[in-house]
């Protein structure tokens, strides 16, 4: 299956990556090359095969649902591009 | 006194213990090597000479007090994907250009506790996505090796290309790497050094910038099998802060490296004999088979029928996980922000400016294969074939103790080559990706040179949590190969 330019724009929107008009054709070619390459997987019969999601040879470990860390707001905010007091600041979302 | 950067870690530990030299002297020799070579190689994104000298001083003090750790005073390069508290950590991405982590990765915390010295943060492909180190937002790394009679710049492989170049050129005695689909093993092969990706879960992922969480695994890179064993011993172990960390004892890898291969059954998978593979690589592989046989191993032909589906499965699974992991880079809590008309526009402009082309491609492929209507056809199907790839290994390991294959389908190539389309670059990882998908340990050991004088590695793949056998086979290969060639650009070498 081959992606058209509208789909490339839609994927970029979903991925929250701004794509300028002249980049669309290149991206379309590159993404289609990758999708064309993975097409060979259609030849594999996977009837009755359970999907494998991870590399770990074990069940996910659970822990007590308790606070294990915290009280370091200033350390965390030190990397914020914008802040107000002890909060991250973002452009206005609600009018 | 010998030229200090030439030493192996094992020899340097002996020298430090015998007071032949101090950790400060050893560290100063490496800092000076970095000053003279890194302008050519670009193996470091951030150099930390002050931190290194401080750590070396502490190592000398600890040794004097009789409390030296297993790596006391050993200067290392840390791949810039590991958070080191208070030291800029970029993942080679412009989006993290000014990120200073307020916490320490578990692996680097353990190395610090063992007494290691950190020389700086090593260059890599952006977010570890690449096989040539050319996708770095901080410039490509140059391989210290050159073709006979040529000074054309070659890639060091990737993604741990800065780590590999630093170790091969004697700017560092060892380095941390991470391997998601071959990012330790392929650069080790391209630079004539040794590197091991341990079993998934062996080293904690806590504090390592995430690429594809079900595949990412830290491991060491060094100039001998024994040095890798020493480093892996210090890096491994259970960590409650990584939900996939294995609660298993860490074996004595250093002892295992000297165990030999007598009586071991070594599998040769037919499917790794790929169309168009060079006669040199095929020849080296056969040499490796002969070396192990001569040392008492039994060679067994095996089949891993789904090998050829490894790469296409990887290029669905890894981008899918990356698209999710990299959603956090939105210009809000950390990293670069580019202002926009509103919140969404700010996200989109931030990510467009902060990510490089390969990272954007992989996020977009990942977004697509996880999107409504395509999830089953791509992602779920890939996960099922991943299960078949694991089954291939499980069945092979019922018959043999380890597998021997080439590490990569070629030697190092020129900077700028293989960039015609993304898939050409992806083919570099054809021999390394299956072990990543199965989560089994795998090591690359330098085994010889090609006709152009470039190093080639052989790969040993072992059972889950049986790094010991991998080290045993690696040690035997290393002994037989007697690889002693040196790169053109190295500390103490001819200019």
């Amino acid at each position: 299956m081959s992606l058209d330019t509208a789909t490339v724009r839609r994927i970029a929107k979903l991925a929250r990556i701004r794509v300028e008009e002249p980049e669309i054709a290149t991206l379309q070619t590159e993404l289609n090359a990758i999708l064309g390459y993975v097409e060979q997987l259609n030849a594999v019969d996977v009837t009755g095969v359970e999907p494998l999601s991870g590399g770990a040879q074990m069940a996910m470990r659970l822990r007590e649902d308790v606070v294990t860390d915290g009280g370091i707001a200033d350390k965390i905010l030190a990397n914020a591009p914008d802040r107000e007091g002890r909060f991250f600041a973002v452009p206005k979302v609600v009018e | 006194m010998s030229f200090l950067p030439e030493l192996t870690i094992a020899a340097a530990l002996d020298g430090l213990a015998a007071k032949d030299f101090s950790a400060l002297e050893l560290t100063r020799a490496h800092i000076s090597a970095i000053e003279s070579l890194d302008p050519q190689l670009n193996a470091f994104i951030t150099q930390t000479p002050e931190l290194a000298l401080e750590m070396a001083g502490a190592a000398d003090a600890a040794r004097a007090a009789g409390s030296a750790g297993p790596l006391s005073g050993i200067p290392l390069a840390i791949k810039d994907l590991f958070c080191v508290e208070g030291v800029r950590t970029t993942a080679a991405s412009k989006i993290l250009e000014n990120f200073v982590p307020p916490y320490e990765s578990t692996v680097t915390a353990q190395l610090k506790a063992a007494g290691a010295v950190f020389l700086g943060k090593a260059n890599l492909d952006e977010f570890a996505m690449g096989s040539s180190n050319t996708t770095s937002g901080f410039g490509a790394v140059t391989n210290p090796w050159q073709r006979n009679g040529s000074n054309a710049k070659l890639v060091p492989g990737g993604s741990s290309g800065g780590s590999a170049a630093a170790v091969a050129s004697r700017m560092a005695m060892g380095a941390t790497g991470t391997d998601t689909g071959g990012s330790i093993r392929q650069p080790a092969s391209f630079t004539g050094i040794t590197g091991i990706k341990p079993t998934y879960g062996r080293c904690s992922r806590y504090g390592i910038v995430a690429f594809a969480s079900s595949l990412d695994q830290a491991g060491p890179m060094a100039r001998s099998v024994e040095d890798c064993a020493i480093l892996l011993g210090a890096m491994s172990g259970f960590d409650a802060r990584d939900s996939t960390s294995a609660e298993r004892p860490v074996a004595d890898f250093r002892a295992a490296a000297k165990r030999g291969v007598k009586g071991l059954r070594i599998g040769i998978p037919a499917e790794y004999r790929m169309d168009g593979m060079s006669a040199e690589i095929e020849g080296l592989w056969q040499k490796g088979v002969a070396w192990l046989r001569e040392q008492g191993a039994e060679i067994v032909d095996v089949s891993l029928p789904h090998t050829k589906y490894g790469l296409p499965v990887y290029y669905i699974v890894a981008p899918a996980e990356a698209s999710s992991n990299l959603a956090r880079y939105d210009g809000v809590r950390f990293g670069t922000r580019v202002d926009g008309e509103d919140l969404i526009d700010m996200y989109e402009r931030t990510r467009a400016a902060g990510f490089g082309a390969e990272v954007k491609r992989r996020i977009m492929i990942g977004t697509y294969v996880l999107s409504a209507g395509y999830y089953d056809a791509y992602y779920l199907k890939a996960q099922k074939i991943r299960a078949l790839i694991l089954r291939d290994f499980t069945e092979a390991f019922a018959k043999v103790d380890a597998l021997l294959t080439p590490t990569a389908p070629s030697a190092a190539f020129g900077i700028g080559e293989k960039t015609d389309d993304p898939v050409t670059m992806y083919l570099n990882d054809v021999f390394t990706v299956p072990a990543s998908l199965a989560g089994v340990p795998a090591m690359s050991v330098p085994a010889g040179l090609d006709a152009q004088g470039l190093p080639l590695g052989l790969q040993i793949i072992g059972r889950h949590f049986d790094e010991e056998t991998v080290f045993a086979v690696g040690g035997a290969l290393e002994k037989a190969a007697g690889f002693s060639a040196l790169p053109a650009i190295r500390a103490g070498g001819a200019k």
Side-chain angles (χ1 to χ4, degrees):
Chain A
M1 136 178 35
S2 187
L3 304 180
D4 57 21
T5 54
T7 310
V8 173
R9 284 192 195 89
R10 189 175 65 85
I11 299 169
K13 197 80 199 164
L14 286 172
R16 296 279 187 260
I17 296 172
R18 183 185 168 94
V19 174
E20 305 295 339
E21 208 47 42
E23 300 172 78
I24 296 280
T26 314
L27 270 172
Q28 185 189 11
T29 309
E30 291 169 346
L31 298 180
N32 277 325
I34 298 168
L35 292 173
Y37 178 69
V38 303
E39 200 96 311
Q40 55 182 300
L41 296 181
N42 293 332
V44 185
D45 181 5
V46 292
T47 316
V49 178
E50 285 297 314
L52 175 67
S53 59
Q57 300 294 298
M58 56 178 215
M60 194 67 87
R61 198 173 44 247
L62 299 177
R63 67 164 174 84
E64 287 299 305
D65 184 15
V66 293
V67 175
T68 58
D69 205 351
I72 51 165
D74 283 334
K75 276 177 104 173
I76 289 169
L77 283 161
N79 278 293
D82 191 14
R83 62 184 282 189
E84 268 182 42
R86 301 185 77 194
F87 299 94
F88 295 109
V90 294
K92 198 175 204 179
V93 182
V94 185
E95 286 303 318
Chain B
M1 191 162 72
S2 50
F3 181 60
L4 297 179
E6 288 284 347
L7 299 176
T8 60
I9 292 173
L13 285 169
D14 289 345
L16 287 164
K19 310 236 182 315
D20 293 343
F21 47 84
S22 67
L24 270 172
E25 287 170 302
L26 186 62
T27 299
R28 282 197 193 104
H30 284 89
I31 291 172
S32 132
I34 293 170
E35 279 170 359
S36 70
L37 296 181
D38 206 50
Q40 272 174 281
L41 298 177
N42 197 33
F44 288 91
I45 290 176
T46 305
Q47 298 174 16
T48 57
E50 298 85 3
L51 173 68
L53 291 171
E54 187 189 315
M55 294 171 100
D60 281 333
R63 198 170 290 280
S67 59
L71 286 170
S72 257
I74 299 299
L76 304 177
I78 303 298
K79 186 177 185 178
D80 203 15
L81 206 59
F82 292 81
C83 287
V84 174
E85 187 172 354
V87 176
R88 181 173 77 136
T89 297
T90 68
S93 181
K94 289 289 180 194
I95 212 159
L96 285 176
E97 192 167 10
N98 300 310
F99 177 67
V100 179
Y103 57 91
E104 184 83 29
S105 80
T106 297
V107 165
T108 52
Q110 290 183 193
L111 289 172
K112 280 182 174 176
V117 169
F118 295 172
L119 295 164
K121 306 298 294 290
N123 205 339
L124 65 150
D125 280 296
E126 185 179 3
F127 284 106
M129 297 179 193
S131 309
S132 62
N133 214 123
T134 52
T135 73
S136 168
F138 296 82
V141 174
T142 300
N143 192 328
W145 290 81
Q146 295 171 345
R147 294 182 183 123
N148 292 333
S150 159
N151 57 8
K153 288 184 172 187
L154 306 179
V155 303
S159 69
S160 311
S163 299
V167 173
S169 65
R170 278 75 179 148
M171 289 194 287
M173 306 200 91
T176 63
T178 63
D179 190 313
T180 303
S183 282
I184 287 174
R185 293 161 283 160
Q186 183 254 17
S189 179
F190 277 20
T191 58
I193 65 169
T194 302
I196 178 168
K197 176 201 89 73
T199 310
Y200 183 83
R202 183 61 95 181
C203 294
S204 170
R205 291 182 294 107
Y206 177 78
I208 300 174
V209 178
F211 159 18
S213 303
S214 80
L215 296 157
D216 296 345
Q217 186 52 210
M221 306 172 81
R223 293 192 296 268
S224 76
V225 173
E226 184 180 29
D227 285 3
C228 278
I230 295 170
L231 290 172
L232 184 61
M235 293 165 68
S236 301
F238 174 66
D239 177 17
R241 287 177 298 186
D242 171 2
S243 64
T244 58
S245 172
E247 223 165 337
R248 291 200 175 228
V250 176
D252 184 348
F253 300 131
R254 201 172 172 182
K258 292 172 180 163
R259 211 184 255 181
V261 291
K262 203 166 171 56
L264 287 183
R265 294 167 66 88
I266 307 294
I268 308 301
E271 291 79 6
Y272 280 64
R273 194 160 284 119
M274 296 264 168
D275 289 344
M277 190 162 90
S278 84
E280 285 178 312
I281 288 174
E282 168 73 33
L284 190 73
W285 191 11
Q286 293 315 315
K287 262 192 197 167
V289 168
W291 289 332
L292 295 179
R293 189 183 279 129
E294 282 158 18
Q295 294 182 63
E298 184 187 343
I299 306 298
V300 182
D301 286 326
V302 296
S303 173
L304 300 167
H306 297 88
T307 297
K308 71 167 174 173
Y309 300 115
L311 263 189
V313 164
Y314 179 86
Y315 278 98
I316 290 174
V317 169
E321 295 184 20
S323 74
S324 170
N325 273 327
L326 272 63
R328 72 190 72 179
Y329 303 104
D330 57 5
V332 174
R333 291 165 301 152
F334 43 74
T336 310
R337 173 186 292 189
V338 177
D339 289 324
E341 290 162 17
D342 53 26
L343 188 65
I344 301 285
D345 192 45
M346 184 274 278
Y347 292 154
E348 293 184 348
R349 286 177 189 273
T350 293
R351 291 162 65 81
F355 292 140
E358 180 62 20
V359 172
K360 287 181 195 171
R361 274 196 290 274
R362 295 208 197 179
I363 291 174
M364 290 179 71
I365 283 289
T367 302
Y368 180 66
V369 300
L370 291 176
S371 65
Y374 300 98
Y375 181 92
D376 286 3
Y378 287 106
Y379 187 62
L380 196 64
K381 175 117 195 183
Q383 284 189 313
K384 288 179 179 177
I385 302 172
R386 184 175 181 182
L388 295 175
I389 290 168
L390 172 62
R391 195 172 74 189
D392 284 356
F393 280 106
T394 307
E395 288 175 359
F397 285 131
K399 298 180 200 131
V400 298
D401 300 302
L403 301 165
L404 180 72
T405 78
T407 304
S410 76
F413 47 88
I415 292 178
E417 285 173 28
K418 306 204 184 201
T419 52
D420 302 346
D421 73 281
V423 174
T424 309
M425 187 64 83
Y426 296 172
L427 294 174
N428 269 291
D429 299 328
V430 64
F431 297 143
T432 48
V433 148
S436 295
L437 290 167
V440 291
M443 170 189 261
S444 178
V445 174
L449 298 178
D450 73 359
Q452 295 180 301
L454 296 178
L456 296 170
L458 288 176
Q459 176 178 234
I460 305 124
I461 307 174
R463 295 188 180 103
H464 288 107
F465 298 106
D466 187 16
E467 286 85 0
E468 286 169 273
T469 299
V470 174
F471 276 112
V473 179
L477 275 181
E478 179 183 63
K479 194 168 112 189
F483 185 88
S484 59
L486 294 167
I489 303 171
R490 64 181 193 279
K495 290 288 177 313

